[in-house]
Structures are given as structure tokens and as C-alpha cells.
């Protein structure tokens, strides 16, 4: 497995131990004599790359069921529903939580005494692994099962940016009232959601040892494993809290290319005109390019040569992907109004409010649109303090 970096990468690395390593080495008493259900995928590995399943079995943990999130147990599927299966190596059932059901049923939990969750979040509200975690916690509470989260670093650090989710726009792509870029780990979000959504699960979070909130993934010493098929590297993850908004338009974000979520494109787009209209973009450079998606994930323009606007991080400390995305969206809206399609509900769910879409329709300038969400961020930073586990 390869470790990728984006511009502005940490100059040095510190070996961080993910929560699963800590659980196996220091906290196995939490699983002693219990039947364990494991919620994980290909990102569930120790610091040496060993899978969670192997780590737990070697520690004589009694695994009885596996549960998988969006993209499946191997993390390679791009489809709206994933069927249940069997792990051929162990014979254990794999229950899909991205199909007919989105949470474990009582029948799936009949042979389980405790649930362990180990998923690599990406640092953006719209990534569905936290939704799977929260729904699993609710299902566990209903049958009085404890939940243990083996935590992992937030790959893009602890910055807080972008609009907050308002409750009317809650969905599977965003259940928590947090900003697009929340600066928290999966375990911290679970603690926050356990209270905010009144789930009331019996929750224990095993922190990742040695991680600091100002630390990016390429400073952890951990191997990068694609959390999903269209998240090839840390550069893509850094742009994702902004470029994910274009998923709710007829613009491509480069799915089916090696630079997914690092671009915005369409056959009708004039990238140079958009770049000129956007103007200054602190911490990120914009350039024009052409890409040809060759795989099914880009359902919009697969097989076509797509004029695109390419983003590249130049300074992590000042780059705000949400501000940049709104500036690009406003420029495209102004220059290509007849070609651009905004899918209203999908956009509002990803933004977290309809205020941005309505402002675009009203031709409000991009800086004024970005200012709309700044007011709530200070309150969020204050509220989240009680749920944080890392300095």
C-alpha cells in the first residue's frame, strides 16, 4: 500500500497507532468472553497493514459477524445497493449496511454481544461512514449492545470550515449539525451524535495513540488505503469538502480518473473563463485541463473528453475548500446559466442549507455567500470541545 501526499505536506512523520492497535494491545478485556460483531471495510487495518479480522482472530477474539458500509467490505463497489455476503477466508457472514437496510437488524445481532466499529472517515460531513456508525449505534442501543469505536485520525486535520447542516436538510449524506469540514474524528463525531441525536448508546471510543489535531495523514506514518473507490489520495480528500457539492450538479468531479474530486468539468465548460471570473483563491491554484473518464463511476461523461478546472493545494493552512467551491459554482452559474443544472434537494443536503442555492439564484456575490455560514462556526467550535479526544 502507498502513502500519498498533497502539496503542503508535513515535513516529518510521527508513527500513530490507530485505535484497533490500541484495542488489541491494551484493551482486550473489553472483548473478553464476548461474541464480537465488526463493522469495517478495507480501511480497517493496523499500523503494519494487518486487517482487523486477522488482528482480532490472532488475539483469540470470538468474531461472529462482519458488517460493511457503502462501497462494500472490500471498498470497491459503486452502486446504490450492496447485497450480503460471506467472507471466504473465515466463513463469517458479511451483512451489508448499504442495501435493503442501513443498520443492523435484531436478527443480524442475535449472535453478537458487542459491536466494534473501525472505519476511516475522510473529514467531511457528507462521507457516509459516520451515518452508518450512528445508525449502527442506534440499532445497538435498541437491543442493549455496547459499541466500541476503534478510532482513526482525521486525514485532513482539525480545521473547521464550511456551512453547518440545518436539521431540515438531514439525510444519509449528512446526519449531524456540523460544518462540511468538521475537524473531528469518527469517534469524536460518534460521541457528539450520541448526545445531539439522543441515541443513548453505550459507547466507548478507543483513541488513536499519538495523533494531534494539527496532524495531516501524511504525518502519521500510516499507510493510505482508499476509503472509497473515488478517493485515491490525500489531495483528493483535501478538496472533497468543497468539490463534493458539484455531485449535485451536472458537472463532473472526475470520478473514473486518477484525480477524482480534484477537478470540476463538463463538455460545455469554459475553464479559463471560469478561472478568470473566480479570481484569487488562497491556498489553491486553479488551472485548465481536459480529462477523459474511462470507468463507470463517472455516470455523467464517461468516455468523453471533458474540459475541466483542476485544483491543486498550495498552502494547507489557508485553503478553504468550501469557500473555493462556492466561488467556482457562482462563476459557473454566471457564465453557463443555460447549461448548468442544480439538483436542488441533493445540493441543499450536501451544503446543509438552501441558503446558498437561493443566494446563487439571486446572483449574490461569492464572498457574501461564504459569509452566510461564518456566524455559526464559532458556536460549533465551542460546542464540539466537550467531545474532543485529541489536543
Amino acid at each position: 500500500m502507498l502513502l500519498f501526499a498533497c502539496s503542503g505536506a508535513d515535513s516529518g512523520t510521527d508513527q500513530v497507532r490507530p485505535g484497533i492497535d490500541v484495542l488489541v494491545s491494551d484493551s482486550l478485556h473489553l472483548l473478553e468472553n464476548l461474541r464480537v460483531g465488526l463493522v469495517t471495510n478495507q480501511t480497517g487495518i493496523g499500523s503494519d497493514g494487518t486487517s482487523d479480522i486477522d488482528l482480532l482472530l490472532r488475539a483469540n477474539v470470538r468474531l461472529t459477524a462482519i458488517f460493511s458500509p457503502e462501497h462494500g467490505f472490500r471498498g470497491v463497489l459503486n452502486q446504490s445497493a450492496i447485497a450480503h455476503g460471506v467472507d471466504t477466508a473465515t466463513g463469517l457472514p458479511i451483512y451489508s449496511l448499504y442495501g435493503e437496510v442501513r443498520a443492523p437488524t435484531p436478527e443480524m445481532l442475535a449472535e453478537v454481544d458487542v459491536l466494534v466499529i473501525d472505519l476511516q472517515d475522510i473529514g467531511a460531513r457528507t462521507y457516509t461512514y459516520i451515518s452508518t456508525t450512528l445508525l449502527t449505534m442506534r440499532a445497538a442501543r435498541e437491543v442493549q449492545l455496547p459499541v466500541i469505536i476503534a478510532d482513526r485520525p482525521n486525514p485532513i486535520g482539525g480545521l473547521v470550515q464550511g456551512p453547518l447542516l440545518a436539521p431540515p436538510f438531514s439525510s444519509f449524506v449528512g446526519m449531524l449539525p456540523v460544518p462540511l469540514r468538521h475537524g473531528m474524528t469518527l469517534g469524536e463525531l460518534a460521541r457528539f451524535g450520541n448526545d445531539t441525536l439522543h441515541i443513548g448508546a453505550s459507547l466507548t471510543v478507543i483513541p488513536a495513540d499519538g495523533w494531534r489535531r494539527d496532524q495531516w495523514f501524511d504525518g502519521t506514518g500510516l499507510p493510505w488505503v482508499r476509503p472509497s473507490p473515488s478517493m485515491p489520495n490525500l489531495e483528493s480528500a483535501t478538496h472533497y469538502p468543497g468539490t463534493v457539492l458539484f455531485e449535485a450538479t451536472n458537472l463532473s468531479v472526475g470520478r473514473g480518473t486518477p484525480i477524482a474530486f480534484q477537478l470540476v468539468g463538463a463538455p460545455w465548460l469554459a475553464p479559463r473563463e471560469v478561472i478568470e471570473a473566480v479570481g484569487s483563491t488562497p491556498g489553491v491554484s486553479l488551472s485548465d485541463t481536459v480529462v477523459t473518464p474511462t470507468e463507470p463511476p463517472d455516470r455523467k461523461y464517461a468516455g468523453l473528453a471533458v474540459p475541466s478546472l483542476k485544483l491543486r493545494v498550495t498552502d494547507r493552512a489557508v485553503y478553504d475548500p468550501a469557500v473555493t467551491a462556492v466561488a467556482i459554482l457562482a462563476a459557473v452559474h454566471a457564465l453557463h446559466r443555460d447549461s448548468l443544472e442544480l439538483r436542488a434537494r441533493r445540493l441543499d443536503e450536501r451544503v446543509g442549507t438552501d441558503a446558498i442555492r437561493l443566494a446563487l439564484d439571486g446572483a449574490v456575490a461569492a464572498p457574501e455567500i461564504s459569509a452566510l455560514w461564518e456566524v455559526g462556526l464559532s458556536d460549533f467550535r465551542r460546542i464540539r470541545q466537550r467531545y474532543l479526544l485529541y489536543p
Side-chain angles (χ1 to χ4, degrees):
M1 285 172 285
L2 298 177
L3 179 67
F4 295 90
C6 65
S7 300
D10 290 352
S11 57
T13 60
D14 296 316
Q15 184 60 60
V16 172
R17 290 197 304 154
I20 191 66
D21 281 4
V22 179
L23 176 61
V24 170
S25 64
D26 304 338
S27 302
L28 269 181
H29 62 278
L30 297 174
L31 307 179
E32 190 173 3
N33 298 321
L34 297 177
R35 298 170 298 175
V36 176
L38 178 64
V39 184
T40 195
N41 59 9
Q42 76 288 350
T43 66
I45 59 173
S47 56
D48 64 354
T50 303
S51 74
D52 285 4
I53 292 176
D54 288 341
L55 287 171
L56 292 172
L57 290 178
R58 289 174 189 175
N60 296 316
V61 171
R62 187 182 173 191
L63 277 179
T64 55
I66 302 169
F67 302 85
S68 64
E70 184 178 3
H71 306 298
F73 179 55
R74 304 296 179 191
V76 297
L77 301 177
N78 267 309
Q79 54 196 61
S80 58
I82 298 172
H84 305 314
V86 174
D87 178 34
T88 55
T90 63
L92 292 171
I94 301 175
Y95 296 112
S96 171
L97 303 183
Y98 195 74
E100 295 181 1
V101 297
R102 294 287 173 94
T105 65
E107 292 74 20
M108 294 175 187
L109 297 173
E111 300 297 320
V112 173
D113 299 315
V114 60
L115 280 164
V116 174
I117 301 175
D118 185 10
L119 296 167
Q120 178 62 68
D121 190 54
I122 210 64
R125 179 196 344 116
T126 52
Y127 222 59
T128 62
Y129 296 167
I130 181 57
S131 298
T132 295
T133 296
L134 295 168
L135 293 175
T136 298
M137 288 164 52
R138 184 172 288 154
R141 188 257 302 156
E142 290 173 357
V143 294
Q144 298 184 324
L145 292 183
V147 175
I148 298 171
I149 293 180
D151 208 14
R152 294 184 173 273
N154 181 323
I156 59 174
L159 292 177
V160 174
Q161 297 168 326
L164 285 157
L165 174 75
F169 300 97
S170 176
S171 71
F172 189 68
V173 296
M175 294 178 62
L176 292 175
V178 301
L180 262 172
R181 185 178 184 179
H182 46 69
M184 301 169 74
T185 67
L186 187 85
E188 292 173 332
L189 288 170
R191 283 159 50 89
F192 177 83
N194 204 29
D195 283 356
T196 305
L197 301 184
H198 308 291
I199 296 173
S202 173
L203 176 65
T204 301
V205 177
I206 308 295
D209 179 49
W211 186 69
R212 305 182 312 276
R213 197 167 304 280
D214 62 354
Q215 198 172 20
W216 288 61
F217 197 86
D218 52 8
T220 65
L222 296 173
W224 178 272
V225 177
R226 290 187 185 221
S228 57
S230 294
M231 197 58 61
N233 51 43
L234 186 54
E235 180 81 22
S236 292
T238 307
H239 298 295
Y240 179 82
T243 52
V244 68
L245 301 184
F246 294 96
E247 293 273 70
T249 73
N250 61 337
L251 288 153
S252 170
V253 294
R255 288 180 181 269
T257 76
I259 52 174
F261 291 105
Q262 300 176 36
L263 62 85
V264 177
W268 42 262
L269 188 72
R272 292 186 183 181
E273 293 181 24
V274 173
I275 292 169
E276 184 177 352
V278 169
S280 175
T281 52
V284 63
S285 68
L286 307 180
S287 60
D288 65 303
T289 188
V290 176
V291 298
T292 303
T294 58
E295 299 176 20
D298 195 323
R299 302 175 183 90
K300 298 170 183 175
Y301 305 119
L304 299 179
V306 181
S308 302
L309 184 156
K310 173 74 166 58
L311 297 89
R312 183 178 65 85
V313 177
T314 57
D315 187 343
R316 290 174 173 175
V318 299
Y319 176 43
D320 189 322
V323 168
T324 302
V326 166
I328 295 171
L329 185 57
V332 175
H333 189 271
L335 292 167
H336 298 286
R337 182 181 290 268
D338 292 339
S339 299
L340 177 65
E341 297 175 9
L342 299 179
R343 285 128 198 193
R345 183 64 192 183
R346 290 190 66 185
L347 181 61
D348 296 347
E349 287 175 349
R350 282 153 180 78
V351 173
T353 171
D354 61 1
I356 280 74
R357 178 174 53 83
L358 296 175
L360 285 170
D361 289 341
V364 176
E368 296 176 40
I369 296 175
S370 300
L372 293 173
W373 66 69
E374 287 298 326
V375 177
L377 292 186
S378 59
D379 285 342
F380 170 75
R381 289 188 184 96
R382 176 180 51 80
I383 293 169
R384 78 168 188 164
Q385 284 297 322
R386 73 191 71 163
Y387 301 106
L388 301 184
L389 298 170
Y390 308 90

